[in-house]
């Protein structure tokens, strides 16, 4: 499945692009424990998103050197905003593949709009632009992605695996990963201590 080739759904059809998935305390899959996922694509064919609150050990300058975007001596001289970019673990699928979620003030031919002001670019051009200070104002980079087959995500939500809420750019591009899970919950008025791990049935 082309991970971003889905026919775009609309909110009226129940599709969840530009929403946060918040792992419930009873999440069975430990790879998603206390995770916040930004959904980039969702249709009847499946869903694709990026975990935004799990940091990787790899530093952005080291990644640029690995990808031959910069030589080692050039990476040392990167501007501070580029040096401090946190690379996130986007999910368990295709961990060698990189994705940049970013504000729409930067667009190249390969950039795909996700929401009104959020785009996704998965080509090396954006890394070069960021490295010389010509990239988007807001950006987050992830290696790997999270994917669900047809109906799989809907089933996990029905089984109380995930909460969903509209994504806000402020929380999406926030660099404070340690508290991001709790702050996303707080943004929709939910106290973690009161969350039930069992699905309720009326």
């Amino acid at each position: 499945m082309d991970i971003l080739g889905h026919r775009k759904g609309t909110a009226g059809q129940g599709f969840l692009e530009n929403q946060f998935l918040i792992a419930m305390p009873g999440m069975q899959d430990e790879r998603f424990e206390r995770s916040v996922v930004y959904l980039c694509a969702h249709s009847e064919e499946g869903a694709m998103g990026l975990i935004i609150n799990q940091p990787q050990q790899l530093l952005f300058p080291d990644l640029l050197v690995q990808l031959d975007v910069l030589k080692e001596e050039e990476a040392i001289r990167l501007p501070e905003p580029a040096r401090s970019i946190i690379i996130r673990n986007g999910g368990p699928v295709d961990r060698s593949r990189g994705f940049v979620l970013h504000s729409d003030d930067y667009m190249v031919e390969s950039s795909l709009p996700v929401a009104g002001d959020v785009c996704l670019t998965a080509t090396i051009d954006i890394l070069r632009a960021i490295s010389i200070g010509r990239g988007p104002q807001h950006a987050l980079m992830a290696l790997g992605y999270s994917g669900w087959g047809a109906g799989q995500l809907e089933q996990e939500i029905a089984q109380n695996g995930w909460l969903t809420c509209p994504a806000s750019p402020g929380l999406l591009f926030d660099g404070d990963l340690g508290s991001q899970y709790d702050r996303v919950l707080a943004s929709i008025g939910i106290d973690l201590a009161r969350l039930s791990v069992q699905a309720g049935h009326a």
Side-chain angles (χ1 to χ4, degrees):
M1 175 174 69
D2 177 359
I3 57 174
L4 283 172
H6 296 149
R7 183 178 63 77
K8 283 288 187 188
T10 66
Q13 295 170 291
F15 297 123
L16 301 171
E17 285 110 353
N18 194 38
Q19 296 243 353
F20 287 138
L21 288 178
I22 310 156
M24 288 287 279
M27 170 61 69
Q28 298 297 309
D29 189 336
E30 62 185 25
R31 298 172 299 178
F32 291 103
E33 188 178 346
R34 286 183 60 86
S35 68
V36 178
V37 177
Y38 178 79
L39 271 184
C40 302
H42 185 211
S43 76
E44 65 276 0
E45 296 169 34
M48 175 268 177
L50 300 172
I51 300 172
I52 63 168
N53 66 328
Q54 291 182 3
Q56 297 230 10
Q57 296 300 314
L58 186 66
L59 301 174
F60 186 65
D62 299 332
L63 178 69
L64 294 177
V65 171
Q66 280 185 22
L67 295 173
D68 287 329
V69 173
L70 293 178
K71 303 288 183 206
E72 211 161 312
E73 57 273 16
E74 295 172 317
I76 294 167
R77 296 193 297 270
L78 274 176
E80 174 54 34
R83 275 205 315 275
S84 60
I85 289 174
I86 300 165
I87 299 177
R88 297 142 203 250
N89 166 33
V93 185
D94 204 356
R95 289 183 178 230
S96 62
R97 187 166 182 185
F99 301 89
V100 181
L101 270 175
H102 57 91
S103 49
D104 64 357
D105 53 337
Y106 173 92
M107 293 282 283
V108 291
E109 196 176 326
S110 59
S111 299
L112 297 165
V114 176
D117 51 0
V118 179
C119 299
L120 182 73
T121 302
T123 55
I124 214 157
D125 312 347
I126 192 167
L127 302 184
R128 289 196 182 96
I130 291 170
S131 74
I132 58 172
R134 293 187 183 163
Q137 183 176 0
H138 302 291
L140 71 81
M141 171 154 194
L143 291 176
Y145 69 94
S146 305
W148 292 265
Q152 184 183 358
L153 180 57
E154 292 84 344
Q155 184 177 9
E156 290 180 14
I157 291 171
Q159 291 171 345
N160 216 32
W162 301 97
L163 286 172
T164 64
C165 72
S168 73
L171 283 168
L172 176 61
F173 295 116
D174 186 328
D176 183 5
L177 274 57
S179 67
Q180 206 161 21
Y181 179 80
D182 295 313
R183 285 182 297 112
V184 169
L185 283 174
S187 76
I188 53 174
I190 292 181
D191 177 357
L192 189 60
R194 294 172 182 265
L195 270 185
S196 168
V197 299
Q198 299 297 322
H201 298 285

